[in-house]
Amino acid sequence: MSESASPDKLSPIRLHKSLERVWRTGPGWQRLSAVNHTVLGKRFMLTAFVFFAIGGVLAMLIRAQLATPDAAFVGPEIYNQLFSMHGTVMMFLFAIPMLEGLAIYLLPKMLGARDLAFPRLTAYGYWCYLFGGTIIVASMLFGVAPNSGWFMYTPLSSQPYTPGINADIWLLGVTFVEISAVSAAVEITVSILKLRAPGMSLDRMPLFAWYMLVTALMMVFGFPPLILGSILLELERAFNLPFFDPTRGGDPLLWQHLFWLFGHPEVYIIFLPAAGALSTIIPVFAQRQIVGYHAIIAAIVALAFLSFGLWVHHMFTVGIPHLALAFFSAASALVAIPTAVQIFAWLATLAHGKPRFDIPMLYVAGFFLVFVIGGLTGVMLAMVPFDQQAHDSYFVVAHLHYVLVGGFVFPMLAAVYYWLPHITGRETMHRISVPAFWLIFVGFNLTFFMMHLTGLMGMPRRVYTYPSNFGWDWLNLLSSIGGFILTMGFALFAVDMILQFRFGRGFRRNIWKASTLDWAMPTRPTSYGFASLPRIDKRADTIDPDTLGPKLAAGSGYLGFVRHNRMETLGVDMTTGRLEHVVVLPNATYLPLISAILTGSMVLSLLFKIYPIAVVFALATLVSFFFWSARTGSTSDEGPIDVGHGEKALPDTEIDGPTPWWAMVFALSANGTLFASLVFGALYLWLVAPAWPPTEIITPNFWLAIAALGLLAAAGVLRRATRLNSAGAPFQPALLAGLALDLVVLAALSAALLGLPDLTGHAHVATIAAVLGYGWLHAFGGFAFGLNAVLKSRNGFVSPRRSLNLKLARLWHDYTAITGLIGLALVVLMPSLIGMLEGVR
């Protein structure tokens, strides 16, 4: 050990210096190697605010154009780019990354951990977000910004109607950002479930952690349909595969289904973290515990489930059968109940407490008014007859902004004022905070309340100008005036933040007299967070940070020392919070940045249709991940090691179900959602799309049988290799046999794909190619995981007790076998299914 493993032998100063030496990020260019959650959380939030400012400028340009009738401020092409980019920036580049940044910064501090489970993945996600967002925003400078709306409806976004690269920028850039978001969701899920302070069971977690856990799981299952839709549309645009072309067996409505399978849950994905911030802030200023802790948890879980059954809420006018309309209308109204449970819990907390008002509470009050109006108009739009009248009018624009700004922006502004002192170590300057709030509140309501009226008067959305004889003139002028007032409010808010950084008065700890763990550390927080980790024996939002904080800083908790210059935190049982293992985290490294640059280069190559170069960068990205793996693990069995308080725990490399295993489980769950969406898309086209049946029906060939047998054999061989390793027997021959079987599967699927007729002729062939291509990619992934296990075993990282790499390879092969067999069965049964469906038709 570089320092004694006994906490009482280190003074607080020596402990701080020892931890800081191991955990800190170096100066200068070394900042690019940062993997620390505090640094990356701040980067996410700051970058999101920059994109928010860009989106705000775009909104002002829109309002300048619509302030008067028959305006010529911008033409229709530029206007299409403006409103498309405004929605894209606000939804994909501000809202989701902002909530991710807040979670990345706060969760380890609230849960009593030193970092998230996968710091390098956090860093990689940030760089992907930055590069992807930059690609999207930079397109405006070259006049090729997306111009088909932030929802990219087909056929408008298809190649014949948007022939440039405008739509490709959206599809590739947003997919780039969304994959980053799914990675963050997996990381947040695993970190909440496994990296908590000992004793913090699930029913002792602070509500913010519950909100983020549900949100992350919604992202895991909600984002893959959009990722799939973007891939299919890009394949159609790049290679003319007819997934959405009704003349060749496709259907434009398939895009809407895939988009809104993501789009409606996203509204709640955005709202829930903001609600988590409210559930944290309101009890502090009410000076009492939250009312209905367990009822709120039940409400957010119910909200998550209901949100996945509402996507047709956005498609009431496309010709959905009446029975389905009734179901989705009822479900859309029902979702108001769990939302109301939370609102009444917050109001009850304030009513039963002794509220003290400060700047965060101004924004909380603004949230109540604005969000409730948005919720009421949402219930109105859930009613099919009203929705059919107001659909695609400015009433929907007003509702959307009242829900998103009321349900996210106002709570986030309250959260900024609440947690910014934690980040800066300085108090807020109040001289301009209050005027900033009133400008934002009045400006917002003046802007968007008028849109309810213009919508009810028949003004359609997405029009770049309008005549002066409909009575919309004065309402649009008021909306534009309100928009500029709103902008002035945000400008004052930004100035207020800068002044706090520069002139705010310093303080030591817990400025708001809160009762959560995040305030039990020094502010500004150190790179390692807690000098020692606490044990929690009651609900983690009812502690006394003023008493606990100095004890942890003195090293009286767990891991109050440095061992072998390693970055360590504790892992616990998922439900009970029982101390389970020691997690060794990676040090600062440039690998995430290098991998993100390679990934971004691949995306740019795809954008400019240089496909051979894109393949090279894809392989280079994969190779870079091998370097990630080469630096993790241990070459010897350590056994139980000291964690303090006379307790010992195994390192994470020697337990069943460590954090990487759970990350693979949730990543494959997201992957399974994407596969299910692909199967749904294939069945939807066969059932609903025009131009069916095709003139030529593809019949199975023997290559599919070879692929199926190879998938089963590869999964079985990997399982045998794992069993042999557990028994201490030689397992390398079985592992090599698994690699050989992976190559057989790849060859068989390649032959099956090459044997298909013209992929552009009909969606029947294109869907077969998509299913087989999905299997091919996963067989290649299985080969990569198997190869990594071979390399790790040759370098001494695998033993009967250290079998993680084998288990990950086995898990991937099991998933590939299951989905591959389902996909192959779908292809084999397709001729029969087409015949049956034709008989029904």
Side-chain angles (χ1 to χ4, degrees), residues 597-732:
I597 291 173
L598 293 172
T599 310
S601 301
M602 179 190 69
V603 170
L604 288 173
S605 301
L606 292 171
L607 179 62
F608 293 108
K609 297 179 171 47
I610 316 173
Y611 297 116
I613 302 298
V615 172
V616 171
F617 278 119
L619 292 174
T621 303
L622 179 62
V623 170
S624 73
F625 290 141
F626 276 91
F627 283 98
W628 287 37
S629 178
R631 299 190 178 191
T632 58
S634 174
T635 56
S636 61
D637 296 338
E638 295 185 65
I641 55 178
D642 182 30
V643 296
H645 288 293
E647 298 185 52
K648 294 180 181 290
L650 288 169
D652 55 347
T653 55
E654 299 177 28
I655 67 164
D656 290 328
T659 51
W661 190 87
W662 282 106
M664 178 66 81
V665 169
F666 288 111
L668 291 178
S669 299
N671 202 341
T673 306
L674 189 145
F675 178 71
S677 301
L678 178 59
V679 172
F680 162 79
L683 294 174
Y684 177 84
L685 291 180
W686 304 345
L687 284 166
V688 175
W692 282 75
T695 55
E696 180 182 5
I697 298 176
I698 307 303
T699 56
N701 56 52
F702 74 98
W703 291 116
L704 299 183
I706 293 175
L709 291 173
L711 287 170
L712 285 172
V717 166
L718 262 293
R719 285 185 165 271
R720 176 170 173 75
T722 306
R723 289 195 299 270
L724 289 171
N725 175 64
S726 299
F731 64 91
Q732 287 84 356

Side-chain angles (χ1 to χ4, degrees), residues 304-363:
F305 277 104
L306 287 172
S307 69
F308 283 95
L310 307 180
W311 79 92
V312 178
H313 172 94
H314 298 268
M315 302 171 61
F316 282 166
T317 62
V318 302
I320 301 294
H322 287 181
L323 182 62
L325 288 178
F327 171 81
F328 285 103
S329 178
S332 300
L334 186 65
V335 79
I337 295 175
T339 306
V341 168
Q342 298 168 76
I343 291 175
F344 285 123
W346 297 328
L347 292 174
T349 303
L350 291 169
H352 288 80
K354 297 178 180 178
R356 55 186 173 92
F357 286 90
D358 210 315
I359 301 302
M361 287 302 292
L362 279 176
Y363 288 97

Side-chain angles (χ1 to χ4, degrees), residues 498-518:
I498 295 170
L499 290 177
Q500 178 174 337
F501 272 95
R502 181 68 180 85
F503 301 108
R505 186 174 58 189
F507 66 96
R508 282 186 57 82
R509 182 183 281 119
N510 198 11
I511 186 175
W512 303 116
K513 302 303 176 186
S515 56
T516 48
L517 274 173
D518 48 315

Side-chain angles (χ1 to χ4, degrees), residues 172-473:
L172 293 171
V174 165
T175 301
F176 194 7
V177 173
E178 292 296 279
I179 291 173
S180 164
V182 172
S183 300
V186 171
E187 162 128 73
I188 289 169
T189 302
V190 176
S191 298
I192 293 174
L193 292 175
K194 297 298 291 183
L195 301 192
R196 304 195 299 269
M200 188 186 291
S201 57
L202 285 179
D203 61 352
R204 290 176 177 171
M205 287 200 312
L207 279 174
F208 183 81
W210 268 106
Y211 274 100
M212 286 311 310
L213 175 61
V214 173
T215 300
L217 288 171
M218 290 177 68
M219 293 168 70
V220 166
F221 295 104
F223 283 10
L226 176 63
I227 294 172
L228 173 69
S230 299
I231 292 171
L232 295 181
L233 183 53
E234 182 59 26
L235 287 173
E236 178 173 298
R237 290 180 55 83
F239 303 108
N240 199 27
L241 272 62
F243 297 108
F244 307 103
D245 183 354
T247 65
R248 294 179 291 160
D251 193 335
L253 287 183
L254 175 59
W255 169 265
Q256 289 198 37
H257 282 290
L258 293 175
F259 183 88
W260 290 115
L261 275 167
F262 146 84
H264 202 88
E266 189 195 22
V267 174
Y268 301 99
I269 288 170
I270 292 171
F271 167 67
L272 285 178
L278 292 172
S279 293
T280 305
I281 295 169
I282 288 174
V284 173
F285 290 95
Q287 302 183 78
R288 66 148 295 151
Q289 293 182 24
I290 190 78
V291 171
Y293 173 88
H294 293 96
I296 290 175
I297 293 172
I300 59 179
V301 172
L303 189 65
F305 277 104
L306 287 172
S307 69
F308 283 95
L310 307 180
W311 79 92
V312 178
H313 172 94
H314 298 268
M315 302 171 61
F316 282 166
T317 62
V318 302
I320 301 294
H322 287 181
L323 182 62
L325 288 178
F327 171 81
F328 285 103
S329 178
S332 300
L334 186 65
V335 79
I337 295 175
T339 306
V341 168
Q342 298 168 76
I343 291 175
F344 285 123
W346 297 328
L347 292 174
T349 303
L350 291 169
H352 288 80
K354 297 178 180 178
R356 55 186 173 92
F357 286 90
D358 210 315
I359 301 302
M361 287 302 292
L362 279 176
Y363 288 97
V364 171
F367 152 80
F368 278 121
L369 180 62
V370 173
F371 184 73
V372 167
I373 292 175
L376 292 174
T377 56
V379 173
M380 294 168 65
L381 288 169
M383 303 298 107
V384 175
F386 182 84
D387 181 87
Q388 291 181 336
Q389 297 299 314
H391 187 74
D392 264 348
S393 75
Y394 260 84
F395 189 92
V396 178
V397 177
H399 159 70
L400 177 70
H401 284 83
Y402 264 84
V403 169
L404 293 180
V405 176
F408 183 74
V409 175
F410 274 89
M412 281 296 105
L413 293 175
V416 167
Y417 276 106
Y418 179 74
W419 276 297
L420 195 61
H422 194 287
I423 297 173
T424 64
R426 297 175 181 271
E427 296 185 48
T428 303
M429 302 288 292
H430 286 179
R431 293 184 180 88
I432 58 175
S433 303
V434 175
F437 164 78
W438 285 112
L439 286 172
I440 292 171
F441 182 76
V442 172
F444 170 81
N445 283 285
L446 182 60
T447 301
F448 294 102
F449 189 82
M450 300 303 163
M451 292 184 188
H452 290 106
L453 304 180
T454 53
L456 291 174
M457 293 172 67
M459 182 174 178
R461 55 178 173 168
R462 301 191 289 272
V463 292
Y464 84 102
T465 190
Y466 53 92
S468 59
N469 57 347
F470 288 112
W472 305 336
D473 311 23

Side-chain angles (χ1 to χ4, degrees), residues 148-166:
S148 303
W150 72 273
F151 33 76
M152 291 295 290
Y153 280 173
T154 57
L156 178 63
S157 58
S158 298
Q159 188 69 25
Y161 304 100
T162 309
I165 65 170
N166 305 64

Side-chain angles (χ1 to χ4, degrees), residues 717-718 721 731-740 785-786 789-791 793 806 809:
V717 166
L718 262 293
F731 64 91
Q732 287 84 356
L735 195 54
L736 292 173
L739 290 179
F785 274 104
V790 169
L791 295 174
S793 64
L806 282 175

